[in-house]
Amino acid sequence: QVHLVESGGGLVQPGGSLKLSCAASRSISSINVMTWYRQATGKEREWVALINSGGATNYADSVKGRFTISRDNVENTMYLEMNSLKLEDTGVYYCKFPGSGWGQGTQVTVSS
């Protein structure tokens, strides 16, 4: 299994931006699909975005047009750039690859 460490979360005002990182413990070049999930307090964990090895992406309707997922196979890192943040984006964000465990996540809080 590949081990993942999320980072980059924090407190941001509505309309602001954050960029999250997901660092992998080994090469990610062989991993076809890489994903981000999030979980708000009292809610089910939900899928947010994915990217495949060719760079094709897909997003949940709630974040489409505001979030951008990317990957760097040299740095062995996946990113989630979040713009125009809303209160409902608040939650713990997790990255997940096939065969990986769940990391500790990184907290994103959108508040005035």
Side-chain angles (χ1 to χ4, degrees):
Q1 292 187 340
V2 60
H3 300 285
L4 308 174
V5 178
E6 303 95 338
S7 63
L11 176 65
V12 64
Q13 294 184 356
S17 299
L18 283 174
K19 187 174 183 179
L20 308 183
S21 298
C22 172
S25 61
R26 62 172 177 84
S27 174
I28 63 171
S29 61
S30 64
I31 300 174
N32 183 252
V33 178
M34 304 162 64
T35 62
W36 283 98
Y37 287 78
R38 69 185 181 188
Q39 186 170 24
T41 300
K43 303 293 185 180
E44 298 287 334
R45 184 157 51 198
E46 64 175 340
W47 169 78
V48 174
L50 67 81
I51 185 169
N52 69 17
S53 59
T57 60
N58 200 9
Y59 301 90
D61 288 343
S62 58
V63 307
K64 193 172 299 180
R66 300 187 297 117
F67 290 12
T68 302
I69 187 172
S70 61
R71 62 191 287 177
D72 187 330
N73 290 344
V74 175
E75 298 289 340
N76 294 326
T77 302
M78 179 176 66
Y79 303 96
L80 185 69
E81 184 177 2
M82 306 182 294
N83 299 309
S84 301
L85 283 162
K86 303 175 180 180
L87 296 179
E88 55 264 40
D89 294 320
T90 294
V92 179
Y93 283 69
Y94 302 88
C95 53
K96 186 72 169 69
F97 306 161
S100 77
W102 293 99
Q104 82 288 345
T106 185
Q107 175 71 44
V108 173
T109 302
V110 184
S111 176
S112 299

